[in-house]
Each structure stands twice: as C-alpha cells, then as structure tokens.
Amino acid sequence: MKKLMFSLFFCAPFSLLAQTTDAEINQIVDRLTLEEKVYLVIGTGMDIPGMTEESNAPQAVVGTTKDKVAGAAGTSYTNKNFGFPAVVFADGPAGIRISPVREEFPDETFYATAFPTATSLSSTWNVELAKEIGSAFGREGKEYGVDFLLAPALNIHRHPLGGRNFEYYSEDPVLAGKITAAFVNGVQAEGIGATIKHFVANNSETNRTELNTVVSQRALREIYLKGFEIAVEESNPWAIMSSYNKINGTYASENEELLNNLLREEWGYEGFVMTDWFAGKDPVAQMRAGNDLLMPGTNQQATAIIKAVNNGELPEEILDRNVSNILKQYYKTPSFKKYKPTGKPDLEGHKKIARKAASEGMVLLKNIDQTLPLDQNVKVALFGVTSVETISGGTGSGDVNKAYMVSVTEGFENAGFELDGDLVSKYESYVKEERAKIPPKEMFFEKDILVPEKTWTAGELETIAENNDVAVFTFGRTSGEFQDRVVEGDFELSEEELQVIRNISNAFRSKNKKFVVLLNIGGVIETQSWKDAADAILLSWQPGQEAGNAIADVVSGKLNPSGKLPVTFPVSINDVASGKNFPGTVLDTTAPKSQNPLAGVPSEEIYEEGIYVGYRYFDSFDVKTSFPFGFGLSYTNFEFSDLKVNRDGKEITLELSVRNSGETAGKEVVQLYVKSPEGSLDKPEKELKAFAKTKNLNSGETENITLAVNAEDLAYYDPATNSWKLDAGNYRFIIAGDSQTLKLEEELFLEEKEVKTTQDLFNPEIAIEELTRN
C-alpha cells in the first residue's frame, strides 16, 4: 500500500525522547499539523495480494507488513520533524509471529519460539509461570525489533466449537483475567507493550466481521468484561484491541459506551485502543468512540478523518485526545527509546521455559491402576498420525514461524523409551504418502488439514500387541482463525477414529497390557463415548515446539502432571447451554455472498444462556460432565486441612494447609469457589473467586496457603439499578479439587450492600429470554 507523505512545515527537529509528562506530550500534539495527527491514528497499511492501493479493504484479512520487521502484523508512520520512528506490532498469543528471514540479512534467521497455546498455559493455574512466559515473549520481541505484542487474548470459551479457543484462556473470567494480568506484567517488564484482545464478546469466528452479539448487561459485565477488568486493574496493558463484532447493534470499535464510558471513565484505563485489522466501517465514528488507532490503516481512513475535521463533523480535540493516548504509550517503546535490537534473543533459554510450561499445563484425565508414568524398560507401540505430525498450535494470527518441532515420536526417543521401530516406520511412510495428497495451503491462516488416521486389521494389531508392552495412541485436532469448528469428525471422533481406539484397546487389554491416549488438541472434544477404552488419558493440549519432549517428561514420570482443566468437557455437545444459538444466525439467507471467502455476512448471535457459561451452567442445573472444570489428576495424593476464614473490612482471607500424602513429589492447585445466598436475582450454584498453586511438595511435605478475596468481588450486577450488589446472608467459601469435588468449606455472613453504581450501558436492542433457574 502506498504511503502518503507528511506535509512539511517550519519546525525545529523534535525528539520525544526528552518528553515524559502528559503536559509535554500535549505540547507536541499542539505542534502537529492535522495531516500529521491523522497519520498517527492509522497504521501504514499491509501488503496483501490482490488488494489495490485504493481499496477500502473492508473485510478482515490477516497479513503482514514488510516494513522494518519482516512479517510483523503492522507498523506506524514515521515523522522526521518530531523524530518519531516506526513502531512495530507483531502477533501473537503463542509466540512472536514474524518472518524467519529478512532480505537485508540473507545469512541469518529470525525464528521465534513456539510456546504452549493460551489454553495450555491457563491449565497450569500458575500465575508466576504465566509471568515468566510473558517475560520470555517480551525479551524475544524486543530483540527482534517488536514494540507491541498483539496478545494476550482472553475471550471466554463460551462454546467448545469456538475456532480460536486455543488462543483464549478459559470459560471462567477470574482464571482468564489473572493469567492474562500475569502474562502482561511479564511482557511489559521487558520494555515492550502487551495488547489484550479482543474487546469484547468475540466468542465465535463465523461471520465475525458482520456479527451482532446480543447480550444482556449482566452477562456482559459478569462474564465477558470481567476478565478484561481484572487485567486492566492488575497489569495496565499499554494497548487494548477492540473486536470485530457488534455489541447490541454497534461495532465494538465504534462503541463509545464500551471504549469511553466503561473502559476509561469507569475502569480508569490509561493506555490506547486499536482496532482489530480492518475492523469496523466508519473511521470517524471510531475516532469519536475512543478507538485511538486504526489498524493496519488505509488511505480512505486518512481521507475521511481529514475531511470530517475540516467540515466540523469531527472536533479536532477528539483527534488530539486519541493522538495523545497513542504517544503516551509509544514513548515507552524500544523504537522511541532508540534501542537497537540484536536479532539474537535467547532461543535456547526460551525453549526450556516453553518445555517447562508445556509439561505443567498437561492434564491427567484418567490413570487406572497407575498406568502412568511408564517404566523406562517397557517397549512402546506408538500409534497415531499425530505421533509423527504433532501439533504445536493453531493457525492464523496465533501461528508461529518456529525453527523446529519435536514430535511425540522424537520426544519418546529422546527420553530413552524403546519404540516399536517397524510401527514407527509404517506411520512415517503412511503420513508422508497421505500428506503428499493434500494440497498445500495458499495462505498461512487457512486451517491445517490433518492426515486421516491410519487403520489396522485385527491380525496386525494382534501381532503388535504380542511384541510390545504398552500401547500409546496420539490423537490430534487443530483449528484456527475465520472459522469455527464442527461437530462431526472434529468435536466428535469419526467412526474410523473410534474404531481405531477400540481395536487397539481390545488387542492390548486382551493380553493384560495397558492402553494410553494422548490428546494433542486445541479445544474440547467428546470423550464420554470412548474414555472407558483407555487405561490412561493425558491431555497435552497444543504445547508448542517442545511438545514431544514435554509429553515424554510427564509420561516418563520425570515431571508429575499438575494441570487442571480451564474448561468443562461435556458428555455431549447438546449439553452446552450456548449451543442453542452458537455461532449465530444469518439474517438474510438469500443475500449474495462475497467472493472473498473470509468475508462475513450479517448475522446475529443471542446469548440466551446469560451468565450460565461453562461450569456455572453444568453445576447449577446438575448436568453431568465427562470431566468437570478444574479437574486434573496427579501421580500423588494431596490432603487439604485447617481452613480458616477471616474478615478485616472488605478483605476476606482464607488460610489452609495442603499436604502431599502420596509418595511422589508434585504440585497441587487450590481452587476457591463461593456460593452466594439467594436474592432477588438468579445466581450460579458457585463461582471461582481465587486460586493458588503450591510449590513442588515432596512426599509428606505441607505448605500453608493464603487466599485473599475482596468482599466486593462477590457482588453480582443488577441491571435494574445499574449497580453491583451484595445480598445479605451466609456466603459459603468452598475449597475444591475441581468445581464438583468439594474438600473444605466455611461460612461467613455478609451484610447487604450496594458496592458501586455504574452508568446505564449496553442495553440490548431486543428482549433476551435468558436461561434461569427459577
């Protein structure tokens, strides 16, 4: 895309480096010409095949720039008069997404570390580890010339089929918000900015650019906004990215109630807001709404804003406000501080961190008769195409250009396991042959196509079972941007996949040998129909480039699994409350469709489940699950005891002891749920309010854990009075192993209180018949 030149005027060269206060930045804004201001509130565009320089580019397209850092998602304009350098924005949630090669350095590479995906990281329930991962992101981005990381993403897992759930942390806003805040603090401690996204209620990919999310004020505030509020309060991210969708009729990027009234006035946010790439329709409305930066930027946006200021449609004071918000954060960046990136981050150190996080995020779902860990002396029959083509992460902006990928097969070999070499060779040949039949992707954001699972005859399995001690089957799933998942052959296993699992299980169990299933998946799948066939199930999620090594660390017992589910695994997809309207309804099925396969059509998605998302629904309505929220086994056992609850004003403190009562060292997660007394409004059975993870406890060792909760965080939102309220009564404080396994509890009486009032925002255009327990 053509870059427009700044108008020149007489001004001594200016450097922002000496400017530190708001007043001094405002002085610079006063000296900028109108055109210079406009080119600070848009990016420099994007090189997209088939898009002309004058195109409005109204559809959401993921692409890259070639300026400064090859492969970055976007850059800002420079200004020689004021010494403003180009600021670089790069994806993504699982690693820095840039090009691994640069024309100016033909003999060097710039591969980035592929860390575990967000769902994997949140499964650690370890905020210190999340901060450590964020720090590694920050260091790597800084040395590669990145100023802003377009991550983390903390949208709620509203439905298991969400295409980008792998990029998001949890179905619960407290877990998502706390992990996000820790990650952001880690990133920004290294001197680059984090961007929390997608703000807000972007919980499906289908028609996302034209989707109207219809959601009640209460559900929006208690579920979809709460994680963002926690992250803003506890980490102050330099930037926030507004989402593509409309919220009750208004695009998020054009929504003044969202970006000014709530974000800045109620929450006191001090950073800047950028659009998702090509989001929204009206750049002038976006400027008014407080969407400071339009990315990646188009010529038409610049023209429209200049025209609006000149004809009085857009007060220049609003433009000044937005420019000031941007510059306050740009000033902090490495580029503005004239930092010279080395292009040599500590990739060796970062891969160790990635491996550690991947292992700690793995969830042991089943382990009959201590099937795991495996003895090093056993001979392993390693099944599954994903044992060969192990999946690091999802596709789209969450992808990473990594230098290598450790498969499960390689990880087992590295760990010293004896594998059935003939079986490994057959899988490698099969995968190579079948992969050759699949056309290569035309663009990186297209969904990966997996090789179909290899089938075996009963005779073949009989021989394999005879020659090996244990069977391990790796099962994979992937998803990505622009499209949601489907039920058949994705959430649910295909008939062929189910038969493979049953046949392997029967062959080995008939000889009194164990069968282990490894789940290398990005989102929730159906497990109820086949989990009885496995003796052990280890959920590895999509654990990054060190996947094979990290999985082997857990399978071998080198590390004790300590992950807990951040999402619920339902018995059936039909048991999910939001399934009634996910992923929305096309408003006019006869309307012509765009030739752009990524373009959306006008749609509407009504959140009729209200606050009953995830475990809030399953627990409140007594719906059976395959694996509940917060669930995860260990190779050892833990005992909880001596719960004490104390109150000092607003602060409520819980103290308890956790003892490793087993024989193996390990970590445990302490989960605090609170059941509120009945009141005038419906409430969930209980809600997660705090959590903590122990250190690695040796056999017999005890750790004392303290959890702190503000009484006001127990409030619910009453849209009738636009206020957060506490009902009078006894509040049950429940220490649990998961949302359905209660360990300890104490009650505390709290008085009725109106905690705080808010503005009357986000009124739905239509009445919503929300799910209720009454």
Side-chain angles (χ1 to χ4, degrees), residues 518-547:
L518 304 177
L519 296 179
N520 179 205
I521 57 179
V524 173
I525 63 168
E526 188 273 326
T527 55
Q528 185 70 22
S529 67
W530 59 266
K531 65 183 182 181
D532 63 304
D535 297 293
I537 303 173
L538 179 65
L539 172 60
S540 74
W541 295 114
Q542 292 171 341
Q545 68 187 44
E546 285 287 321

PDB file of all heavy atoms in Angstrom, residues 518-547:
ATOM      1  N   LEU A 518      -3.016 -40.025  24.275  1.00  0.00           N
ATOM      2  CA  LEU A 518      -2.503 -38.656  24.393  1.00  0.00           C
ATOM      3  C   LEU A 518      -3.366 -37.749  23.537  1.00  0.00           C
ATOM      4  O   LEU A 518      -3.550 -38.009  22.343  1.00  0.00           O
ATOM      5  CB  LEU A 518      -1.051 -38.582  23.915  1.00  0.00           C
ATOM      6  CG  LEU A 518      -0.031 -39.515  24.571  1.00  0.00           C
ATOM      7  CD1 LEU A 518       1.338 -39.340  23.911  1.00  0.00           C
ATOM      8  CD2 LEU A 518       0.067 -39.242  26.069  1.00  0.00           C
ATOM      9  N   LEU A 519      -3.892 -36.683  24.122  1.00  0.00           N
ATOM     10  CA  LEU A 519      -4.737 -35.745  23.390  1.00  0.00           C
ATOM     11  C   LEU A 519      -3.939 -34.502  23.022  1.00  0.00           C
ATOM     12  O   LEU A 519      -3.601 -33.693  23.881  1.00  0.00           O
ATOM     13  CB  LEU A 519      -5.957 -35.362  24.228  1.00  0.00           C
ATOM     14  CG  LEU A 519      -6.935 -36.495  24.547  1.00  0.00           C
ATOM     15  CD1 LEU A 519      -8.076 -35.973  25.400  1.00  0.00           C
ATOM     16  CD2 LEU A 519      -7.461 -37.131  23.275  1.00  0.00           C
ATOM     17  N   ASN A 520      -3.625 -34.363  21.748  1.00  0.00           N
ATOM     18  CA  ASN A 520      -2.882 -33.213  21.211  1.00  0.00           C
ATOM     19  C   ASN A 520      -3.881 -32.321  20.486  1.00  0.00           C
ATOM     20  O   ASN A 520      -3.947 -32.286  19.271  1.00  0.00           O
ATOM     21  CB  ASN A 520      -1.785 -33.731  20.272  1.00  0.00           C
ATOM     22  CG  ASN A 520      -0.941 -32.656  19.630  1.00  0.00           C
ATOM     23  OD1 ASN A 520      -0.371 -32.859  18.559  1.00  0.00           O
ATOM     24  ND2 ASN A 520      -0.844 -31.490  20.247  1.00  0.00           N
ATOM     25  N   ILE A 521      -4.678 -31.590  21.274  1.00  0.00           N
ATOM     26  CA  ILE A 521      -5.833 -30.869  20.744  1.00  0.00           C
ATOM     27  C   ILE A 521      -5.816 -29.417  21.195  1.00  0.00           C
ATOM     28  O   ILE A 521      -5.221 -29.069  22.205  1.00  0.00           O
ATOM     29  CB  ILE A 521      -7.144 -31.533  21.191  1.00  0.00           C
ATOM     30  CG1 ILE A 521      -7.224 -31.630  22.723  1.00  0.00           C
ATOM     31  CG2 ILE A 521      -7.268 -32.937  20.571  1.00  0.00           C
ATOM     32  CD1 ILE A 521      -8.495 -32.260  23.268  1.00  0.00           C
ATOM     33  N   GLY A 522      -6.511 -28.560  20.424  1.00  0.00           N
ATOM     34  CA  GLY A 522      -6.571 -27.146  20.774  1.00  0.00           C
ATOM     35  C   GLY A 522      -7.802 -26.766  21.550  1.00  0.00           C
ATOM     36  O   GLY A 522      -7.846 -25.711  22.190  1.00  0.00           O
ATOM     37  N   GLY A 523      -8.833 -27.598  21.489  1.00  0.00           N
ATOM     38  CA  GLY A 523     -10.081 -27.303  22.177  1.00  0.00           C
ATOM     39  C   GLY A 523     -10.745 -28.573  22.652  1.00  0.00           C
ATOM     40  O   GLY A 523     -10.259 -29.690  22.429  1.00  0.00           O
ATOM     41  N   VAL A 524     -11.874 -28.399  23.307  1.00  0.00           N
ATOM     42  CA  VAL A 524     -12.596 -29.511  23.916  1.00  0.00           C
ATOM     43  C   VAL A 524     -13.119 -30.466  22.847  1.00  0.00           C
ATOM     44  O   VAL A 524     -13.593 -30.043  21.787  1.00  0.00           O
ATOM     45  CB  VAL A 524     -13.760 -28.980  24.766  1.00  0.00           C
ATOM     46  CG1 VAL A 524     -14.644 -30.107  25.282  1.00  0.00           C
ATOM     47  CG2 VAL A 524     -13.219 -28.149  25.925  1.00  0.00           C
ATOM     48  N   ILE A 525     -13.040 -31.760  23.120  1.00  0.00           N
ATOM     49  CA  ILE A 525     -13.636 -32.775  22.256  1.00  0.00           C
ATOM     50  C   ILE A 525     -14.526 -33.686  23.096  1.00  0.00           C
ATOM     51  O   ILE A 525     -14.504 -33.645  24.325  1.00  0.00           O
ATOM     52  CB  ILE A 525     -12.572 -33.632  21.535  1.00  0.00           C
ATOM     53  CG1 ILE A 525     -11.731 -34.423  22.541  1.00  0.00           C
ATOM     54  CG2 ILE A 525     -11.703 -32.788  20.627  1.00  0.00           C
ATOM     55  CD1 ILE A 525     -10.861 -35.493  21.907  1.00  0.00           C
ATOM     56  N   GLU A 526     -15.303 -34.519  22.424  1.00  0.00           N
ATOM     57  CA  GLU A 526     -16.136 -35.503  23.097  1.00  0.00           C
ATOM     58  C   GLU A 526     -15.266 -36.655  23.586  1.00  0.00           C
ATOM     59  O   GLU A 526     -14.468 -37.205  22.819  1.00  0.00           O
ATOM     60  CB  GLU A 526     -17.214 -36.014  22.137  1.00  0.00           C
ATOM     61  CG  GLU A 526     -18.265 -36.900  22.791  1.00  0.00           C
ATOM     62  CD  GLU A 526     -17.851 -38.368  22.829  1.00  0.00           C
ATOM     63  OE1 GLU A 526     -17.171 -38.837  21.895  1.00  0.00           O
ATOM     64  OE2 GLU A 526     -18.207 -39.044  23.809  1.00  0.00           O
ATOM     65  N   THR A 527     -15.395 -37.014  24.843  1.00  0.00           N
ATOM     66  CA  THR A 527     -14.590 -38.098  25.417  1.00  0.00           C
ATOM     67  C   THR A 527     -15.436 -39.200  26.050  1.00  0.00           C
ATOM     68  O   THR A 527     -14.932 -40.294  26.302  1.00  0.00           O
ATOM     69  CB  THR A 527     -13.629 -37.555  26.490  1.00  0.00           C
ATOM     70  OG1 THR A 527     -14.389 -36.839  27.481  1.00  0.00           O
ATOM     71  CG2 THR A 527     -12.590 -36.631  25.888  1.00  0.00           C
ATOM     72  N   GLN A 528     -16.707 -38.897  26.322  1.00  0.00           N
ATOM     73  CA  GLN A 528     -17.539 -39.818  27.089  1.00  0.00           C
ATOM     74  C   GLN A 528     -17.683 -41.178  26.415  1.00  0.00           C
ATOM     75  O   GLN A 528     -17.677 -42.216  27.085  1.00  0.00           O
ATOM     76  CB  GLN A 528     -18.937 -39.203  27.297  1.00  0.00           C
ATOM     77  CG  GLN A 528     -19.861 -40.009  28.171  1.00  0.00           C
ATOM     78  CD  GLN A 528     -19.430 -40.018  29.633  1.00  0.00           C
ATOM     79  OE1 GLN A 528     -18.706 -39.128  30.072  1.00  0.00           O
ATOM     80  NE2 GLN A 528     -19.881 -41.009  30.380  1.00  0.00           N
ATOM     81  N   SER A 529     -17.783 -41.212  25.078  1.00  0.00           N
ATOM     82  CA  SER A 529     -18.098 -42.456  24.376  1.00  0.00           C
ATOM     83  C   SER A 529     -16.922 -43.412  24.269  1.00  0.00           C
ATOM     84  O   SER A 529     -17.109 -44.590  23.971  1.00  0.00           O
ATOM     85  CB  SER A 529     -18.622 -42.142  22.968  1.00  0.00           C
ATOM     86  OG  SER A 529     -17.592 -41.569  22.167  1.00  0.00           O
ATOM     87  N   TRP A 530     -15.687 -42.934  24.525  1.00  0.00           N
ATOM     88  CA  TRP A 530     -14.525 -43.806  24.319  1.00  0.00           C
ATOM     89  C   TRP A 530     -13.557 -43.849  25.493  1.00  0.00           C
ATOM     90  O   TRP A 530     -12.631 -44.659  25.505  1.00  0.00           O
ATOM     91  CB  TRP A 530     -13.749 -43.375  23.066  1.00  0.00           C
ATOM     92  CG  TRP A 530     -13.254 -41.958  23.112  1.00  0.00           C
ATOM     93  CD1 TRP A 530     -13.871 -40.857  22.606  1.00  0.00           C
ATOM     94  CD2 TRP A 530     -12.036 -41.493  23.714  1.00  0.00           C
ATOM     95  NE1 TRP A 530     -13.130 -39.717  22.851  1.00  0.00           N
ATOM     96  CE2 TRP A 530     -11.986 -40.087  23.527  1.00  0.00           C
ATOM     97  CE3 TRP A 530     -10.983 -42.112  24.374  1.00  0.00           C
ATOM     98  CZ2 TRP A 530     -10.919 -39.305  23.990  1.00  0.00           C
ATOM     99  CZ3 TRP A 530      -9.923 -41.338  24.843  1.00  0.00           C
ATOM    100  CH2 TRP A 530      -9.901 -39.945  24.647  1.00  0.00           C
ATOM    101  N   LYS A 531     -13.760 -43.010  26.502  1.00  0.00           N
ATOM    102  CA  LYS A 531     -12.745 -42.935  27.559  1.00  0.00           C
ATOM    103  C   LYS A 531     -12.623 -44.234  28.351  1.00  0.00           C
ATOM    104  O   LYS A 531     -11.579 -44.505  28.956  1.00  0.00           O
ATOM    105  CB  LYS A 531     -13.018 -41.757  28.494  1.00  0.00           C
ATOM    106  CG  LYS A 531     -14.295 -41.850  29.311  1.00  0.00           C
ATOM    107  CD  LYS A 531     -14.485 -40.573  30.141  1.00  0.00           C
ATOM    108  CE  LYS A 531     -15.723 -40.657  31.010  1.00  0.00           C
ATOM    109  NZ  LYS A 531     -15.916 -39.402  31.801  1.00  0.00           N
ATOM    110  N   ASP A 532     -13.677 -45.063  28.335  1.00  0.00           N
ATOM    111  CA  ASP A 532     -13.590 -46.340  29.028  1.00  0.00           C
ATOM    112  C   ASP A 532     -12.591 -47.285  28.368  1.00  0.00           C
ATOM    113  O   ASP A 532     -12.108 -48.240  28.995  1.00  0.00           O
ATOM    114  CB  ASP A 532     -14.968 -47.008  29.066  1.00  0.00           C
ATOM    115  CG  ASP A 532     -15.479 -47.325  27.680  1.00  0.00           C
ATOM    116  OD1 ASP A 532     -15.562 -46.403  26.848  1.00  0.00           O
ATOM    117  OD2 ASP A 532     -15.787 -48.507  27.400  1.00  0.00           O
ATOM    118  N   ALA A 533     -12.258 -47.040  27.091  1.00  0.00           N
ATOM    119  CA  ALA A 533     -11.325 -47.902  26.364  1.00  0.00           C
ATOM    120  C   ALA A 533      -9.873 -47.643  26.758  1.00  0.00           C
ATOM    121  O   ALA A 533      -8.997 -48.461  26.458  1.00  0.00           O
ATOM    122  CB  ALA A 533     -11.491 -47.708  24.859  1.00  0.00           C
ATOM    123  N   ALA A 534      -9.613 -46.528  27.416  1.00  0.00           N
ATOM    124  CA  ALA A 534      -8.233 -46.161  27.772  1.00  0.00           C
ATOM    125  C   ALA A 534      -7.965 -46.432  29.243  1.00  0.00           C
ATOM    126  O   ALA A 534      -8.839 -46.255  30.100  1.00  0.00           O
ATOM    127  CB  ALA A 534      -7.989 -44.689  27.461  1.00  0.00           C
ATOM    128  N   ASP A 535      -6.751 -46.850  29.536  1.00  0.00           N
ATOM    129  CA  ASP A 535      -6.322 -47.005  30.925  1.00  0.00           C
ATOM    130  C   ASP A 535      -5.788 -45.695  31.483  1.00  0.00           C
ATOM    131  O   ASP A 535      -5.829 -45.463  32.694  1.00  0.00           O
ATOM    132  CB  ASP A 535      -5.241 -48.088  31.019  1.00  0.00           C
ATOM    133  CG  ASP A 535      -5.768 -49.449  30.598  1.00  0.00           C
ATOM    134  OD1 ASP A 535      -6.623 -49.999  31.303  1.00  0.00           O
ATOM    135  OD2 ASP A 535      -5.337 -49.943  29.539  1.00  0.00           O
ATOM    136  N   ALA A 536      -5.269 -44.843  30.602  1.00  0.00           N
ATOM    137  CA  ALA A 536      -4.802 -43.516  30.999  1.00  0.00           C
ATOM    138  C   ALA A 536      -5.052 -42.553  29.852  1.00  0.00           C
ATOM    139  O   ALA A 536      -4.944 -42.934  28.672  1.00  0.00           O
ATOM    140  CB  ALA A 536      -3.321 -43.531  31.368  1.00  0.00           C
ATOM    141  N   ILE A 537      -5.414 -41.320  30.193  1.00  0.00           N
ATOM    142  CA  ILE A 537      -5.600 -40.263  29.197  1.00  0.00           C
ATOM    143  C   ILE A 537      -4.825 -39.042  29.673  1.00  0.00           C
ATOM    144  O   ILE A 537      -5.065 -38.532  30.780  1.00  0.00           O
ATOM    145  CB  ILE A 537      -7.083 -39.888  29.021  1.00  0.00           C
ATOM    146  CG1 ILE A 537      -7.920 -41.115  28.633  1.00  0.00           C
ATOM    147  CG2 ILE A 537      -7.218 -38.801  27.957  1.00  0.00           C
ATOM    148  CD1 ILE A 537      -9.416 -40.843  28.616  1.00  0.00           C
ATOM    149  N   LEU A 538      -3.905 -38.570  28.856  1.00  0.00           N
ATOM    150  CA  LEU A 538      -3.137 -37.360  29.165  1.00  0.00           C
ATOM    151  C   LEU A 538      -3.478 -36.296  28.131  1.00  0.00           C
ATOM    152  O   LEU A 538      -3.272 -36.486  26.929  1.00  0.00           O
ATOM    153  CB  LEU A 538      -1.638 -37.639  29.149  1.00  0.00           C
ATOM    154  CG  LEU A 538      -0.739 -36.428  29.433  1.00  0.00           C
ATOM    155  CD1 LEU A 538      -0.945 -35.926  30.867  1.00  0.00           C
ATOM    156  CD2 LEU A 538       0.731 -36.761  29.194  1.00  0.00           C
ATOM    157  N   LEU A 539      -4.014 -35.186  28.602  1.00  0.00           N
ATOM    158  CA  LEU A 539      -4.353 -34.051  27.747  1.00  0.00           C
ATOM    159  C   LEU A 539      -3.150 -33.120  27.666  1.00  0.00           C
ATOM    160  O   LEU A 539      -2.785 -32.479  28.658  1.00  0.00           O
ATOM    161  CB  LEU A 539      -5.566 -33.319  28.323  1.00  0.00           C
ATOM    162  CG  LEU A 539      -5.963 -31.991  27.691  1.00  0.00           C
ATOM    163  CD1 LEU A 539      -6.312 -32.149  26.222  1.00  0.00           C
ATOM    164  CD2 LEU A 539      -7.140 -31.370  28.457  1.00  0.00           C
ATOM    165  N   SER A 540      -2.522 -33.070  26.489  1.00  0.00           N
ATOM    166  CA  SER A 540      -1.336 -32.219  26.342  1.00  0.00           C
ATOM    167  C   SER A 540      -1.666 -30.878  25.726  1.00  0.00           C
ATOM    168  O   SER A 540      -0.813 -30.010  25.639  1.00  0.00           O
ATOM    169  CB  SER A 540      -0.292 -32.929  25.470  1.00  0.00           C
ATOM    170  OG  SER A 540      -0.684 -32.924  24.107  1.00  0.00           O
ATOM    171  N   TRP A 541      -2.924 -30.691  25.261  1.00  0.00           N
ATOM    172  CA  TRP A 541      -3.312 -29.517  24.508  1.00  0.00           C
ATOM    173  C   TRP A 541      -2.408 -29.362  23.274  1.00  0.00           C
ATOM    174  O   TRP A 541      -1.939 -30.353  22.716  1.00  0.00           O
ATOM    175  CB  TRP A 541      -3.289 -28.251  25.376  1.00  0.00           C
ATOM    176  CG  TRP A 541      -4.275 -28.233  26.489  1.00  0.00           C
ATOM    177  CD1 TRP A 541      -4.005 -28.247  27.823  1.00  0.00           C
ATOM    178  CD2 TRP A 541      -5.712 -28.203  26.380  1.00  0.00           C
ATOM    179  NE1 TRP A 541      -5.169 -28.227  28.570  1.00  0.00           N
ATOM    180  CE2 TRP A 541      -6.235 -28.188  27.708  1.00  0.00           C
ATOM    181  CE3 TRP A 541      -6.612 -28.163  25.315  1.00  0.00           C
ATOM    182  CZ2 TRP A 541      -7.604 -28.150  27.978  1.00  0.00           C
ATOM    183  CZ3 TRP A 541      -7.975 -28.130  25.581  1.00  0.00           C
ATOM    184  CH2 TRP A 541      -8.453 -28.121  26.891  1.00  0.00           C
ATOM    185  N   GLN A 542      -2.130 -28.129  22.879  1.00  0.00           N
ATOM    186  CA  GLN A 542      -1.153 -27.841  21.816  1.00  0.00           C
ATOM    187  C   GLN A 542       0.025 -27.165  22.510  1.00  0.00           C
ATOM    188  O   GLN A 542       0.004 -25.968  22.783  1.00  0.00           O
ATOM    189  CB  GLN A 542      -1.784 -26.954  20.739  1.00  0.00           C
ATOM    190  CG  GLN A 542      -2.876 -27.681  19.956  1.00  0.00           C
ATOM    191  CD  GLN A 542      -3.664 -26.778  19.037  1.00  0.00           C
ATOM    192  OE1 GLN A 542      -3.675 -25.561  19.191  1.00  0.00           O
ATOM    193  NE2 GLN A 542      -4.345 -27.370  18.074  1.00  0.00           N
ATOM    194  N   PRO A 543       1.078 -27.940  22.799  1.00  0.00           N
ATOM    195  CA  PRO A 543       2.076 -27.495  23.777  1.00  0.00           C
ATOM    196  C   PRO A 543       3.309 -26.811  23.211  1.00  0.00           C
ATOM    197  O   PRO A 543       4.314 -26.687  23.908  1.00  0.00           O
ATOM    198  CB  PRO A 543       2.443 -28.804  24.480  1.00  0.00           C
ATOM    199  CG  PRO A 543       2.197 -29.869  23.471  1.00  0.00           C
ATOM    200  CD  PRO A 543       1.183 -29.367  22.498  1.00  0.00           C
ATOM    201  N   GLY A 544       3.261 -26.348  21.941  1.00  0.00           N
ATOM    202  CA  GLY A 544       4.399 -25.622  21.407  1.00  0.00           C
ATOM    203  C   GLY A 544       5.450 -26.522  20.790  1.00  0.00           C
ATOM    204  O   GLY A 544       5.275 -27.735  20.633  1.00  0.00           O
ATOM    205  N   GLN A 545       6.583 -25.919  20.435  1.00  0.00           N
ATOM    206  CA  GLN A 545       7.602 -26.618  19.653  1.00  0.00           C
ATOM    207  C   GLN A 545       8.298 -27.738  20.418  1.00  0.00           C
ATOM    208  O   GLN A 545       8.857 -28.656  19.825  1.00  0.00           O
ATOM    209  CB  GLN A 545       8.635 -25.619  19.141  1.00  0.00           C
ATOM    210  CG  GLN A 545       9.507 -24.988  20.225  1.00  0.00           C
ATOM    211  CD  GLN A 545      10.397 -23.879  19.680  1.00  0.00           C
ATOM    212  OE1 GLN A 545       9.962 -23.046  18.899  1.00  0.00           O
ATOM    213  NE2 GLN A 545      11.656 -23.881  20.085  1.00  0.00           N
ATOM    214  N   GLU A 546       8.271 -27.693  21.749  1.00  0.00           N
ATOM    215  CA  GLU A 546       8.889 -28.735  22.557  1.00  0.00           C
ATOM    216  C   GLU A 546       7.883 -29.812  22.960  1.00  0.00           C
ATOM    217  O   GLU A 546       8.098 -30.548  23.929  1.00  0.00           O
ATOM    218  CB  GLU A 546       9.517 -28.114  23.801  1.00  0.00           C
ATOM    219  CG  GLU A 546      10.811 -27.373  23.545  1.00  0.00           C
ATOM    220  CD  GLU A 546      11.976 -28.320  23.271  1.00  0.00           C
ATOM    221  OE1 GLU A 546      12.049 -29.375  23.932  1.00  0.00           O
ATOM    222  OE2 GLU A 546      12.794 -28.017  22.394  1.00  0.00           O
ATOM    223  N   ALA A 547       6.816 -29.936  22.196  1.00  0.00           N
ATOM    224  CA  ALA A 547       5.703 -30.819  22.549  1.00  0.00           C
ATOM    225  C   ALA A 547       6.154 -32.227  22.902  1.00  0.00           C
ATOM    226  O   ALA A 547       5.824 -32.753  23.968  1.00  0.00           O
ATOM    227  CB  ALA A 547       4.697 -30.865  21.393  1.00  0.00           C
TER     228      ALA A 547
END
